[in-house]
Amino acid sequence: MTDNAPQPVTTPSRSGPPVKVGLVAGGLGAYWPQFPDLLPQLRRSAERVSERMRGLGAEVVDAGFISDAQEGAAAAEKLRAAGCDIIVGFLTTYMTASMLVPVAQRADAPVLLINLQPTESMDHESFDTGQWLAYCGACPLPEMANAFERHGVPFRSVSGYLEDERAWARIGRWVRAAGVRAALRRGRHGLMGHLYPGMLDVATDLSLVSANFGGHVEVLEFDDLRVRVEKVTDAEAAAKKAEAEEIFELDPSVNDEDLAWAARVATGLDRLVADFELDSLAYYHRGLDGEIHERLGAGMILGASLLTARGVPAAGEYELRTALAMLIADRLGAGGSFTELQALDFRRGHVEMGHDGPAHLAISARRPLLRGLGVYHGKRGYGVSVEFDVKHGPVTAFGIIQRRDGRFAFAASEGETVDGPLLRIGNTTSRVDFGCDPGEWTDAWSATGISHHWALGTGHRVADLKALADLMEMEMVEVSP
């Protein structure tokens, strides 16, 4: 393994079960006796769609091919009972709205309509009516949109042809978004310790998490961690320390005793996450005069980083909404590291952002570094901290806003992480070029109502986040040049 590549994390990810896609294809049954070759062709197309859905990593619940309203009602009941994360209605040819409205009404899941004709274009010289009807999936789409709107069902669609990769990229976006929505709806999020005193922007009404996203917030004490750390054996702590030494480059400033303590805390954190079945964790404890809770809080960075890298994001400073943003980014494949503004470089046109503390090791530009710190700025305690730079290329800053009326909103901005000088102070600093004056970007980003923390993830993810916001009926604010 080279120092220029991120190191693997040995613990498996907690990404959860695959997204469950309910698939129903259909067409107007009156056509089948008139054009005997039509239904077999449309069924083959439906089988291909099911195959492509599985290729997206989805578990497909196939309700079969429907030809009238009665069959639509039966499909609706099958998909309702299956508990799908998204319903995909495949318009293979003309069909009436009465065939799909019951599916949409009963599903308790967002609905995506797809209109994928067999090929890019018909052979107009040779086609007869039956062959044309296989290309007629666009015809019922406005009818479905009208009926869905009148029934209060949110509407979205993708039109293309069966092997149209642009269309499948859009379909994949909706499927991924449905998977993230499902992860939030069933998620368990730990909140341990207390609010960093004075951080009014960070404070989150816990009931609003389940109101906006679903899921459950488990309120924890640092004593829940303490009793688990006390039970860590010397052999377990040594194994975690060896894991850290394999993953990280160790700066000479790292004190062996501090690393051993961080490894012990990390092992206790693993048990805490397992015992409470947590999908994310936000934490903070101020501490006093070196007592045990202060030592636990100071020893969190290693374990929180290892958790984050394996899909259980852990954010400091009691930042529940940012832990949720990190979870969303991770489930979209972006990683998502705990981040805030650090400085603006007007000479180079860069925004410098990162944080002291936990990081998403899987998106590091190089082998992450552990640095020993005699003091954590703004916090009590001392120990080891993570130093890394998000790998260079497209990135997205993404955070969750809590509005005055209690609604959550998404804020996102796409940029590029680039090379340049970085401080060596045990922080997770990255240089981000947003394609505009860094001061103007900072003003626009702050004006969204974001808190002073967010997730920084790899790739340009605004399109994915817009899809998720749509499925969750949530406001999305994009900051762009």
Side-chain angles (χ1 to χ4, degrees), residues 178-480:
V180 176
R181 176 180 179 270
L184 291 170
R185 282 163 66 91
R186 64 173 173 256
R188 291 178 53 82
H189 313 292
L191 191 60
M192 185 170 69
H194 61 81
L195 183 71
Y196 190 108
M199 288 187 180
L200 302 181
D201 62 321
V202 166
T204 299
D205 182 335
L206 303 192
S207 65
L208 294 181
V209 174
S210 55
N212 283 274
F213 289 157
H216 169 76
V217 178
E218 184 74 19
V219 177
L220 303 168
E221 304 284 355
F222 257 77
D223 286 321
D224 290 310
L225 176 61
R226 175 184 58 80
V227 296
R228 287 164 175 82
V229 170
E230 288 172 352
K231 294 176 182 178
V232 174
T233 67
D234 291 343
E236 290 170 330
K240 183 64 73 172
K241 181 171 178 283
E243 179 185 351
E245 290 170 340
E246 180 182 354
I247 291 171
F248 290 92
E249 176 185 349
L250 267 57
D251 186 79
S253 60
V254 172
N255 177 289
D256 191 67
E257 183 178 338
D258 291 344
L259 179 57
W261 173 247
R264 191 170 291 272
V265 174
T267 308
L269 269 175
D270 287 346
R271 289 182 178 169
L272 183 80
V273 166
D275 289 347
F276 288 96
E277 300 180 333
L278 300 180
D279 297 292
S280 71
L281 174 67
Y283 65 90
Y284 176 74
H285 184 83
R286 179 168 54 190
L288 183 66
D289 294 338
E291 50 82 41
I292 184 60
H293 300 92
E294 178 184 301
R295 292 192 64 215
L296 288 168
M300 290 280 291
I301 293 173
L302 172 63
S305 297
L306 293 174
L307 283 173
T308 301
R310 74 174 201 244
V312 184
E317 299 181 11
Y318 215 59
E319 244 297 16
L320 174 58
R321 294 197 311 280
T322 296
L324 293 168
M326 292 163 64
L327 178 68
I328 290 169
D330 183 83
R331 298 304 186 264
L332 289 174
S337 202
F338 189 40
T339 308
E340 66 183 359
L341 291 171
Q342 293 181 326
L344 306 180
D345 190 334
F346 291 96
R347 179 179 302 158
R348 299 172 178 84
H350 302 160
V351 177
E352 297 178 64
M353 60 176 67
H355 210 281
D356 62 313
H360 199 307
L361 306 178
I363 61 171
S364 179
R366 57 190 62 83
R367 188 177 184 186
L369 178 88
L370 276 183
R371 186 179 295 279
L373 297 178
V375 61
Y376 293 147
H377 71 274
K379 303 179 183 69
R380 300 188 64 87
Y382 55 89
V384 296
S385 189
V386 174
E387 192 171 290
F388 94 138
D389 176 15
V390 171
K391 58 186 173 184
H392 297 174
V395 291
T396 302
F398 167 60
I400 298 171
I401 305 163
Q402 180 176 314
R403 295 295 192 202
R404 185 176 183 178
D405 63 3
R407 295 185 181 184
F408 285 179
F410 290 164
S413 187
E414 294 177 342
E416 306 277 333
T417 46
V418 295
D419 197 15
L422 301 172
L423 293 175
R424 300 177 180 179
I425 58 172
N427 280 15
T428 62
T429 307
S430 295
R431 290 179 161 271
V432 187
D433 185 347
F434 287 103
C436 61
D437 176 85
E440 293 178 3
W441 182 88
T442 300
D443 290 337
W445 183 246
S446 301
T448 66
I450 193 74
S451 73
H452 77 280
H453 300 120
W454 53 88
L456 184 64
T458 56
H460 284 167
R461 308 289 177 168
V462 163
D464 285 339
L465 292 167
K466 285 181 176 177
L468 178 60
D470 179 89
L471 295 188
M472 305 193 75
E473 301 182 45
M474 190 167 293
E475 177 190 3
M476 169 82 182
V477 183
E478 181 184 3
V479 174
S480 58

Side-chain angles (χ1 to χ4, degrees), residues 109-128:
V111 178
L112 170 66
L113 299 182
I114 60 174
N115 153 44
L116 301 177
Q117 63 188 40
T119 64
E120 291 177 276
S121 177
M122 293 187 292
D123 184 347
H124 298 78
E125 293 296 324
S126 65
F127 270 26
D128 60 19

